[in-house]
Amino acid sequence: MDMQAAAEHADAIMEATLAGIKPAVHWAHGPTTTGSCDVTRRRSVMTIVSESRRGNFLGVVEREWKDRGYRIKGVNNDLDSPAIYAQTKDGFGVSLIFGGGQAFFEVDSPCVEESEVAESTTPPNGPSYDGVYPLPRPNVRDDFWSAGAS
């Protein structure tokens, strides 16, 4: 597998994870980064996930990952920055991290054959924010995920 194939596999992991979240959340692409033999894809959740719903959100994702056979490597129960870290059977690291009230997904590949890496072709399910960095704060309200948020 080369870095482009790894990036596409990372996209598929995130697509499957996000598809398992009900009700669905809006997301936008974060930056893709590459190392000497690895690639990282990121997605930022643009739906406001209230503090009172973070546990639900983390639980939904954890169950989704366990159902897919991913090994849960760690959980951070910090109130401000909760997170969950897992690994797929083929060695990809997956994480969901809350920071500054926003949820971020990240998928890291294992070391693969070096190659060029194109940006993801998966369209976000909201504004793309192409060329906008940093991304805006979460700005999509949802009756369930945003409940209790001011």
Side-chain angles (χ1 to χ4, degrees):
M1 176 181 290
D2 67 12
M3 292 168 78
Q4 179 61 42
E8 291 168 6
H9 186 60
D11 287 339
I13 290 168
M14 281 195 278
E15 287 163 25
T17 297
L18 287 159
I21 299 172
K22 305 290 186 235
V25 294
H26 285 254
W27 60 270
H29 289 286
T32 294
T33 55
T34 58
S36 60
C37 69
D38 61 323
V39 62
T40 301
R41 290 281 213 213
R42 296 174 180 85
R43 293 193 182 167
S44 300
V45 175
M46 301 310 292
T47 299
I48 298 165
V49 179
S50 68
E51 202 171 313
S52 63
R53 295 289 192 200
R54 286 182 193 163
N56 298 87
F57 194 82
L58 288 156
V60 165
V61 171
E62 181 176 4
R63 280 188 298 281
E64 178 72 24
W65 288 349
K66 284 180 176 178
D67 288 349
R68 293 185 177 284
Y70 299 177
R71 181 173 62 90
I72 304 303
K73 293 178 63 177
V75 175
N76 179 355
N77 291 318
D78 182 80
L79 291 177
D80 294 323
S81 299
I84 184 166
Y85 305 92
Q87 187 171 32
T88 67
K89 291 178 182 179
D90 53 359
F92 282 70
V94 293
S95 60
L96 165 58
I97 302 167
F98 276 88
Q102 188 167 14
F104 301 94
F105 286 97
E106 188 172 292
V107 178
D108 304 305
S109 78
C111 190
V112 294
E113 184 181 320
E114 187 177 5
S115 72
E116 293 292 316
V117 178
E119 291 300 322
S120 178
T121 59
T122 305
N125 63 350
S128 70
Y129 300 107
D130 283 340
V132 176
Y133 186 79
L135 290 173
R137 305 296 309 140
N139 54 19
V140 179
R141 293 195 71 81
D142 177 85
D143 289 342
F144 180 77
W145 294 119
S146 307
S150 52

